[in-house]
Amino acid sequence: MTLTKPLTPDLSSYTRRLQSIWDKQWFTNHGDQHDELEEALSYHLNVPYLSLFNNGTIALIVAIKSLRLSGEVITTPFTFAATPHVLTWNNIRPVFCDICDDDMTIDPNCIENLITPDTTGILAVHVYGNPCSVHQIQEIADRYGLKVIYDAAHAFGTSVDGKGIGRYGDISMFSFHATKLFHTAEGGCLTTNDPNLKKRIDFLCNFGIENEETVVMPGINGKMNELQAALGLEILPLLEDEIKKRKKIRELYCKYLSPHVGIVASRNEQYFIIRTKVRDLIYDALKTQGILARKYFYPLCSEFPCYSHYQSARNVPVAEKVSKEVLALPFYGDLEESTIKETCKIIIRFSTSTGD
Ligand SMILES: *Cc1c(COP(=O)(O)O)cnc(C)c1O
């Protein structure tokens, strides 16, 4: 059993969309499917401007480029490898900031100490869909003239103060990889409130091409193609039902596990995460039974050989502790109650009665 199962639409309805692509013989570059998905998603995510990409990582690389960041950017070690890597791909040095013990997002109280004359931005992550301290981060950014980018790869459907989470900071990135709640096999998007920034992002996404004879900036190829967009359009209507099912599964996990292990509260239905000091024992026991949980996020990005020599990598004690405790359990709509029970039985066997 795997951690997640991608939402898979009815093949015949996908084929109907493919037929219209075939009829037009238009496979990429702002086709009908692309434009329809872009509009549907900006409505769904409650954001004013949205640009689709071929994957979330290229989208983040473009986000950094579009804001002209350089020097150093403060980020979190408790994330997927892509987060610090996109800085490196922009010749920017990632500076690792510790996280909060409760929501596991970047600790706003640790950011200011890391700001130097070379700092140009903050790249924070809404870990497991839980929002960062967006107001406090913005306040610091405004005081020091820094840009704010959010890696919202986990945060599809999360809102803060009734507003789509993609409205916070200068730019947010959502990933549509097949492991994510909403997906297009591979894909992603950037959201922003600034129409001029959206224009720059769209240029950078397509080689900087303005028209046949004008190239206005050194862009890349980040375009989402029609096959991906069509898949997204078929998956979007399946979301509501999948979320309902995942909420039920979360309830079942909580019912069986809550007196025995720590359960990480969540604001959307991307992951189900437990925290326990006997994480590795549980992980191995589940694996023996063919249940593949995941140590998200372990090791920390600051422990990768490409980053571990940075001074900031040695000063993230909370992140080090948390990364040894977290475990993502299998979590998708079709998960059987019997499997959930079996998983929980194994977990409970290894957990002490003290709640950890
Ligand atoms: C999935 C993910 C990404 C990368 O997205 P891709 O679409 O796979 O390139 C980046 N950051 C986080 C936190 C992710 O979970």
Side-chain angles (χ1 to χ4, degrees):
M1 190 178 341
T2 52
L3 184 72
T4 183
K5 242 191 193 168
L7 265 176
T8 307
D10 193 36
L11 188 55
S12 60
S13 58
Y14 184 54
T15 311
R16 273 198 297 281
R17 279 198 188 267
L18 291 184
Q19 188 64 54
S20 79
I21 298 171
W22 258 243
D23 292 345
K24 286 214 167 72
Q25 294 186 291
W26 189 286
F27 287 93
T28 189
N29 287 64
H30 282 279
D32 292 346
Q33 308 291 324
H34 173 282
D35 292 355
E36 192 181 334
L37 183 62
E38 201 164 274
E39 196 178 326
L41 281 176
S42 47
Y43 176 78
H44 198 95
L45 291 173
N46 184 228
V47 292
Y49 300 103
L50 183 148
S51 300
L52 295 174
F53 278 82
N54 50 6
N55 65 61
T57 304
I58 294 286
L60 263 186
I61 287 175
V62 165
I64 293 161
K65 196 65 89 181
S66 73
L67 294 170
R68 302 183 177 93
L69 301 187
S70 62
E72 295 176 355
V73 166
I74 295 168
T75 190
T76 168
F78 191 67
T79 182
F80 182 60
T83 316
H85 286 352
V86 296
L87 296 170
T88 304
W89 276 71
N90 274 287
N91 291 318
I92 292 168
R93 173 190 280 261
V95 174
F96 294 106
C97 178
D98 211 357
I99 61 172
C100 303
D101 189 66
D102 51 359
D103 67 10
M104 294 169 265
T105 64
I106 198 165
D107 186 345
N109 298 315
C110 297
I111 292 175
E112 271 190 88
N113 271 339
L114 297 169
I115 295 174
T116 73
D118 291 334
T119 309
T120 55
I122 299 166
L123 171 56
V125 181
H126 301 306
V127 180
Y128 312 137
N130 290 335
C132 296
S133 309
V134 289
H135 300 299
Q136 222 179 322
I137 290 171
Q138 194 60 56
E139 192 268 323
I140 296 166
D142 289 344
R143 203 142 33 83
Y144 289 89
L146 306 178
K147 300 289 185 188
V148 180
I149 299 177
Y150 286 111
D151 178 336
H154 299 172
F156 197 94
T158 303
S159 56
V160 174
D161 302 336
K163 291 195 286 189
I165 198 155
R167 289 174 179 257
Y168 293 88
D170 293 281
I171 300 179
S172 298
M173 180 280 288
F174 294 83
S175 165
F176 306 149
H177 185 257
T179 52
K180 305 302 201 281
L181 181 56
F182 168 78
H183 77 94
T184 57
E186 292 271 6
C189 75
L190 296 180
T191 64
T192 174
N193 299 327
D194 176 353
N196 291 321
L197 193 52
K198 151 89 175 159
K199 228 184 239 170
R200 275 184 65 75
I201 287 167
D202 288 345
F203 277 136
L204 287 169
C205 179
N206 186 30
F207 311 100
I209 293 174
E210 183 164 43
N211 59 46
E212 255 178 274
E213 298 189 359
T214 321
V215 175
V216 293
M217 57 184 87
I220 197 166
N221 183 356
K223 299 189 302 297
M224 175 181 282
N225 68 50
E226 289 291 273
L227 307 183
Q228 292 171 287
L231 186 58
L233 284 164
E234 289 303 320
I235 285 173
L236 207 47
L238 307 179
L239 268 185
E240 200 181 322
D241 189 49
E242 173 71 10
I243 289 168
K244 258 189 220 151
K245 286 183 181 166
R246 290 191 185 196
K247 278 192 201 301
K248 287 217 180 89
I249 288 163
R250 181 179 300 280
E251 277 171 25
L252 284 175
Y253 269 133
C254 288
K255 186 173 94 180
Y256 296 128
L257 291 176
S258 55
H260 304 283
V261 289
I263 291 166
V264 174
S266 184
R267 294 272 287 274
N268 71 354
E269 301 302 333
Q270 173 65 57
Y271 291 116
F272 183 83
I273 308 278
I274 59 168
R275 267 178 80 168
T276 163
K277 298 238 155 47
V278 289
R279 191 269 312 271
D280 289 349
L281 289 175
I282 292 173
Y283 171 85
D284 291 340
L286 289 173
K287 201 169 175 182
T288 308
Q289 296 301 311
I291 301 167
L292 197 62
R294 292 295 295 270
K295 302 176 187 179
Y296 274 163
F297 294 102
Y298 173 87
L300 294 174
C301 293
S302 49
E303 289 165 356
F304 298 166
C306 48
Y307 302 124
S308 59
H309 59 286
Y310 289 0
Q311 198 189 331
S312 65
R314 290 191 282 272
N315 195 20
V316 288
V318 178
E320 276 165 20
K321 177 177 89 91
V322 169
S323 80
K324 294 188 180 91
E325 296 178 354
V326 285
L327 190 64
L329 300 185
F331 193 55
Y332 50 85
D334 290 339
L335 202 56
E336 304 271 353
E337 177 158 6
S338 56
T339 315
I340 298 172
K341 272 188 182 158
E342 192 196 331
T343 305
C344 295
K345 232 161 77 188
I346 295 169
I347 293 170
I348 291 164
R349 190 157 12 106
F350 283 96
S351 304
T352 62
S353 53
T354 57
D356 225 346

